[in-house]
Amino acid sequence: MGIPGTSNQNNGQQWLGITEPISLAGPTEEDVTKTHELEKYLQGVGLYESQQEAVGREEVLGRLDQIVKIWVKTISRAKGFNEQLVHEANAKIFTFGSYRLGVHGPGADIDTLCVGPRHATREEDFFGELQKMLSEMDEVTELHPVPDAHVPVMKFKFNGVSVDLLYARLALWVIPEDLDVSQESILQNVDEQTVLSLNGCRVTDQVLRLVPNIQSFRTTLRFMRFWAKRRGVYSNVAGFLGGINLALLVGRICQLYPNALPNMLVSRFFRVYTQWRWPNPVMLCAIEEGSLGLSVWDPRRNPKDRYHLMPIITPAYPCMNSTYNVTTSTLRIMSEEFKRGSEICEAMEASKDDWDTLFEPYPFFEAYKNYLQIDITAENPDDLRQWKGWVESRLRQLTLKIERYTYGMLQCHPYPGEFSDKSRSFHHCYFMGLQRKQGVPVNEGEQFDIRLTVDEFKHSVNAYTLWKPGMDIHVSHVKRRNIPTFIFPSGVRPSYSSKVSGENRQSSKSRVSGQSQAEKSQGGKTAALGADDERKRKRLEDNNNSRVSKTFVSSSPPNKEVHEDVAPISASSSFSMKLDDSEVNSMGAQKSGIPCLKSVDKVPSRESETNGSVMANQQVTAPDASNNKEEERLAIEQIMSGPYDAHQVLAEEPEELEEDLGYKNQVKDNGGSVKSNNSDSSNSNIPMVEELVIPKETVCSTHSFSNGGLEELEPAELTAPLLCGIPAPVPQRKPLIRLNFTSLGKAVDKSS
């Protein structure tokens, strides 16, 4: 049968993947030199662990394997098995994730899987006897079982090494030492949790089989993981890219350029995914139906799959979409980052840029004027760990709800990580940047009102079945100038007026030529700005340069405004956040069209400098698509043609949001207890405070905030009609939430 995903060319040559490679060119001397520089750069930033740490990890894995073997014999004897069966009883440890792929760094955790026999249950034996054994060991610290997770896991540290341990209960009485988890038969007669637990190992092993050069794959993947973390797009739970997502994306590039070195693979990663027309799926091999009847990703059959915006499909049966968390906002952000990376790589090929520019951290807390701050607290570390995991799994819902109720006009940028205020006990907080959708007409006085959206989100969070007293969530609006100082290094707020990143300086220079005409297109609004306002507008424009909404479209020149493709916003639409002209007009307008590798009008100087330089630097050894950008563009278009090409994302409401709407009609009993435990009866009559933006909790927080700039949010009045379920939105209809919040404009004006 051969390796799944292997195809034949007409001349008998084989390739990996579902299409022919774009280029079979080998590396040039320059590619070899630059790849050495790339590897040296990665070593210089500390992405490789020391030999001592590597040995320590191996010892931990060996010790863990011994422990599970002792464990399975112990429970077999306790269940009355005879000595022969006890002697034959076995369990085995497998690894997956970054450690199995060989791209883990210093201090990274090890994703492990314990495979046990049919008589070793998950609830009683794995989360019972094995957990007890681990808790009694001096080497084990911070033991945290999560049996109710979507994929049940036991988290702990073993000799200081972080371990995530899953469990798969197979339909076998004896687990052989040479067990191959990649075989489809291993999934027979097992429960869903076992299928999900096995999926990590099966996917990881299949990825390594489906890439032509494992070493080039590993170096490129290590590079892309570092890039994603630096640019703030590394977090699967937040709707960005996780480790397995990046592995699949990089693996596909390795298939399309099988003889390329990491230097070229990085460049082609950005080039291909800048042009990629989502929601066309990225797949390393064809999706196989299998013989066990398990559901596989197929938008032609499964309505749920049609909601997926950025499908990246796992290669092991049952094939699944690994990026179901992606939202419209996060896809827009990632698309902008792909484009930025492509432009920088082209500039580097012309020796006009370097790796430092590509890895420059995204200035999240300078990029927006308005943010949501979500604070969570608990009474002890264990409660906070549980509460944190639950809230993080629900934060994506807040992004989805805001997108839904504002018809995509208010864009959210979740920060992929959390912060802690050391002055407060058992506290974490999260941030979301907010901005109006760019390139659409702005009606005077138009505002966003997301008070009930936030309230609905809190209802769903507070319905946590394991809620305990002290678990609290607080959602607030905070402006850029009032971001709490504990999130900054050393607790010092940077000076935004003088802190301009190198990326933004370059972007601002490239737009000088089109600036005067852009100002003319804004008419009297720009002319009316004072010197201070003009500087603020330009600074914001620079900060937001890499976040213009251009998903699936090519950029229009910065000296033109194109609004004809955008439906006007109804004047009756009412919002709770008013964005002033300096923020609204800071972006270039968009024009619809298919993205093209040559469309870099956003930075005209960079295009003029690098156009044609790619061929000069890539002295390929054989004629193919890589030495001509147009041919390469057409090749990329062709590989996106296939059975899923007609896959269109539905504009209806995803099932997960429909389920959340049930909280408007009935809140679970424990949700009610949350309210009674955390709120004061007198708080229900607090009047709305005009200068605030979005609602304070329905559950009033008992904490006092030392940050005077943090704006408390008052509860919206929940009338009977609004407590009813909200139907899915229909295009061109007015938003159901239409509460006026007129005074915010005054607050914004004061902040300017």
Side-chain angles (χ1 to χ4, degrees):
M1 297 259 321
I3 299 175
T6 302
S7 304
N8 290 310
Q9 289 181 325
N10 294 332
N11 60 7
Q13 231 179 345
Q14 285 190 330
W15 68 77
L16 292 167
I18 59 176
T19 65
E20 295 184 22
I22 292 177
S23 168
L24 293 173
T28 64
E29 291 184 6
E30 185 175 6
D31 286 329
V32 174
T33 300
K34 289 189 174 182
T35 294
H36 285 318
E37 294 175 356
L38 184 152
E39 293 172 342
K40 186 177 180 180
Y41 186 96
L42 296 181
Q43 291 174 351
V45 295
L47 295 189
Y48 294 89
E49 67 178 354
S50 66
Q51 183 64 27
Q52 181 180 0
E53 188 174 359
V55 171
R57 290 177 186 274
E58 292 292 338
E59 292 175 350
V60 167
L61 289 172
R63 183 77 177 99
L64 193 57
D65 192 61
Q66 293 175 354
I67 291 170
V68 298
K69 292 182 187 308
I70 296 172
W71 160 72
V72 76
K73 294 181 186 300
T74 300
I75 62 172
S76 297
R77 185 175 287 108
K79 292 177 185 288
F81 285 59
N82 60 44
E83 284 304 313
Q84 180 181 353
L85 292 178
V86 170
H87 178 73
E88 293 176 349
N90 190 32
K92 189 171 173 57
I93 290 292
F94 293 87
T95 62
F96 62 99
S98 63
Y99 184 82
R100 176 70 181 93
L101 289 172
V103 295
H104 61 286
D109 59 1
I110 307 178
D111 295 313
T112 58
L113 170 70
C114 173
V115 176
R118 63 188 305 168
H119 61 274
T121 65
R122 177 177 291 103
E123 292 78 11
E124 296 179 2
D125 298 324
F126 181 76
F127 286 107
E129 182 62 27
L130 181 57
Q131 179 184 335
K132 179 183 176 183
M133 289 176 60
L134 292 173
S135 66
E136 295 173 350
M137 294 180 177
D138 294 336
E139 309 103 302
V140 177
T141 58
E142 300 181 25
L143 178 61
H144 176 51
V146 192
D148 59 330
H150 183 58
V151 182
V153 61
M154 197 138 43
K155 297 173 176 285
F156 54 91
K157 285 188 176 182
F158 199 104
N159 286 337
V161 177
S162 297
V163 177
D164 286 356
L165 181 62
L166 310 183
Y167 181 64
R169 178 190 181 192
L170 302 187
L172 301 174
W173 288 108
V174 178
I175 303 299
E177 272 298 307
D178 60 351
L179 179 69
D180 183 3
V181 295
S182 65
Q183 296 297 316
E184 183 180 315
S185 59
I186 203 173
L187 300 176
Q188 289 181 337
N189 301 318
V190 299
D191 58 24
E192 181 182 2
Q193 291 174 320
T194 291
V195 172
L196 294 173
S197 298
L198 285 166
N199 193 53
C201 289
R202 289 167 53 79
V203 168
T204 303
D205 289 349
Q206 191 75 326
V207 168
L208 293 175
R209 292 189 184 100
L210 290 172
V211 295
N213 186 310
I214 292 180
Q215 187 55 49
S216 292
F217 164 77
R218 284 174 170 165
T219 301
T220 307
L221 178 55
R222 196 183 292 272
F223 181 102
M224 298 312 306
R225 284 163 58 93
F226 182 59
W227 164 83
K229 291 175 183 178
R230 296 284 284 180
R231 296 302 298 174
V233 290
Y234 189 87
S235 173
N236 186 278
V237 70
F240 293 110
L241 298 172
I244 189 59
N245 312 137
L246 281 169
L248 296 173
L249 291 177
V250 171
R252 185 63 179 131
I253 299 302
C254 291
Q255 291 180 343
L256 295 175
Y257 302 90
N259 300 319
L261 291 181
N263 173 67
M264 182 176 176
L265 292 172
V266 167
S267 172
R268 294 309 183 265
F269 177 96
F270 291 118
R271 179 174 295 185
V272 169
Y273 294 122
T274 292
Q275 186 179 332
W276 198 268
R277 286 184 286 104
W278 306 104
N280 283 285
V282 173
M283 301 184 294
L284 297 187
C285 61
I287 296 177
E288 298 182 1
E289 294 293 334
S291 59
L292 303 179
L294 299 175
S295 177
V296 298
W297 186 85
D298 189 346
R300 300 167 301 180
R301 299 181 184 178
N302 307 324
K304 283 185 179 180
D305 296 341
R306 301 172 194 167
Y307 298 116
H308 297 165
L309 302 176
M310 188 185 186
I312 301 174
I313 310 304
T314 57
Y317 176 78
C319 298
M320 310 173 186
N321 176 27
S322 63
T323 47
Y324 58 87
N325 276 342
V326 171
T327 67
T328 301
S329 292
T330 56
L331 177 57
R332 170 185 60 85
I333 293 163
M334 288 186 285
S335 297
E336 281 303 309
E337 287 300 330
F338 292 154
K339 180 173 176 57
R340 172 186 178 272
S342 180
E343 293 173 353
I344 292 175
C345 285
E346 287 189 9
M348 290 178 62
E349 289 168 355
S351 300
K352 298 182 182 296
D353 231 324
D354 55 24
W355 295 123
D356 287 332
T357 304
L358 186 63
F359 288 126
E360 186 172 340
Y362 180 70
F364 180 82
F365 291 103
E366 302 175 38
Y368 302 96
K369 281 192 172 182
N370 296 276
Y371 297 85
L372 283 184
Q373 178 175 336
I374 301 98
D375 292 271
I376 62 170
T377 54
E379 290 191 348
N380 57 65
D382 288 337
D383 286 356
L384 181 62
R385 190 159 43 237
Q386 290 185 338
W387 186 230
K388 174 178 178 287
W390 168 251
V391 172
E392 285 180 351
S393 71
R394 306 302 295 175
L395 284 176
R396 171 177 173 268
Q397 301 301 314
L398 181 56
T399 301
L400 288 172
K401 292 173 188 295
I402 292 175
E403 289 176 353
R404 177 197 182 197
Y405 291 137
T406 65
Y407 293 87
M409 292 297 105
L410 182 60
Q411 297 175 334
C412 303
H413 181 176
Y415 185 85
E418 76 277 354
F419 298 90
S420 295
D421 185 353
K422 301 304 180 183
S423 65
R424 301 174 60 184
S425 300
F426 315 123
H427 164 265
H428 287 302
C429 72
Y430 306 85
F431 289 88
M432 289 185 181
L434 301 174
Q435 72 174 13
R436 185 188 298 273
K437 182 178 181 180
Q438 306 304 312
V440 296
V442 179
N443 295 329
E444 188 68 26
E446 194 169 50
Q447 300 171 343
F448 295 95
D449 192 326
I450 58 174
R451 286 175 291 186
L452 292 185
T453 304
V454 171
D455 184 72
E456 181 183 320
F457 163 73
K458 288 183 295 183
H459 269 294
S460 68
V461 170
N462 286 325
Y464 183 38
T465 56
L466 300 178
W467 182 89
K468 297 178 182 178
M471 292 182 177
D472 188 24
I473 181 170
H474 183 95
V475 182
S476 306
H477 167 251
V478 59
K479 296 180 181 179
R480 180 173 59 201
R481 70 178 185 273
N482 294 324
I483 292 290
T485 56
F486 65 78
I487 71 164
F488 300 111
S490 303
V492 178
R493 186 188 309 277
S495 175
Y496 296 134
S497 60
S498 60
K499 181 180 173 62
V500 181
S501 67
E503 168 200 355
N504 293 335
R505 285 196 301 268
Q506 186 174 4
S507 300
S508 61
K509 289 178 182 177
S510 67
R511 278 196 269 227
V512 169
S513 61
Q515 186 65 42
S516 59
Q517 191 166 347
E519 291 175 355
K520 291 179 181 179
S521 67
Q522 294 178 9
K525 291 183 180 179
T526 303
L529 292 173
D532 291 340
D533 290 338
E534 181 66 358
R535 282 194 296 270
K536 290 181 181 179
R537 187 190 67 77
K538 289 182 179 179
R539 185 175 69 246
L540 183 61
E541 179 179 16
D542 290 337
N543 287 339
N544 277 310
N545 182 52
S546 62
R547 288 292 183 263
V548 183
S549 175
K550 293 186 298 178
T551 307
F552 313 133
V553 299
S554 59
S555 64
S556 57
N559 60 347
K560 295 182 181 179
E561 292 213 1
V562 184
H563 291 157
E564 56 266 32
D565 292 337
V566 185
I569 306 174
S570 170
S572 61
S573 300
S574 194
F575 314 90
S576 75
M577 188 180 70
K578 182 176 180 180
L579 307 179
D580 61 15
D581 292 339
S582 66
E583 182 167 9
V584 172
N585 295 321
S586 64
M587 308 292 186
Q590 309 305 312
K591 181 161 62 176
S592 176
I594 297 176
C596 172
L597 293 175
K598 295 181 179 179
S599 298
V600 287
D601 296 326
K602 183 176 175 183
V603 188
S605 61
R606 180 174 292 168
E607 167 65 14
S608 62
E609 292 165 353
T610 62
N611 188 22
S613 66
V614 176
M615 283 192 295
N617 286 341
Q618 284 185 357
Q619 304 160 7
V620 293
T621 58
D624 53 27
S626 69
N627 66 348
N628 185 293
K629 290 178 64 176
E630 180 61 23
E631 291 180 11
E632 191 169 21
R633 186 188 68 81
L634 294 175
I636 297 171
E637 284 288 330
Q638 187 171 358
I639 67 175
M640 287 186 285
S641 301
Y644 306 100
D645 190 47
H647 166 212
Q648 297 295 329
V649 178
L650 299 182
E652 301 173 3
E653 190 61 34
E655 182 177 333
E656 55 188 320
L657 279 186
E658 291 177 350
E659 293 173 355
D660 283 345
L661 296 179
Y663 293 117
K664 285 186 172 290
N665 286 326
Q666 64 178 56
V667 179
K668 295 180 181 179
D669 292 339
N670 62 298
S673 66
V674 172
K675 301 298 179 285
S676 62
N677 287 330
N678 287 285
S679 60
D680 189 298
S681 59
S682 62
N683 289 334
S684 59
N685 295 322
I686 295 178
M688 264 187 217
V689 181
E690 286 189 334
E691 64 270 15
L692 305 183
V693 183
I694 31 185
K696 185 181 180 180
E697 355 283 297
T698 304
V699 186
C700 244
S701 173
T702 58
H703 302 295
S704 61
F705 292 84
S706 58
N707 173 29
L710 187 63
E711 298 184 352
E712 298 289 341
L713 306 176
E714 293 300 329
E717 297 179 5
L718 300 179
T719 59
L722 288 175
L723 285 170
C724 298
I726 301 178
V730 178
Q732 303 302 325
R733 294 178 65 182
K734 299 178 181 178
L736 292 169
I737 300 177
R738 298 192 298 272
L739 300 180
N740 282 319
F741 215 63
T742 56
S743 63
L744 175 64
K746 300 177 182 178
V748 174
D749 292 340
K750 293 177 182 178
S751 69
S752 300

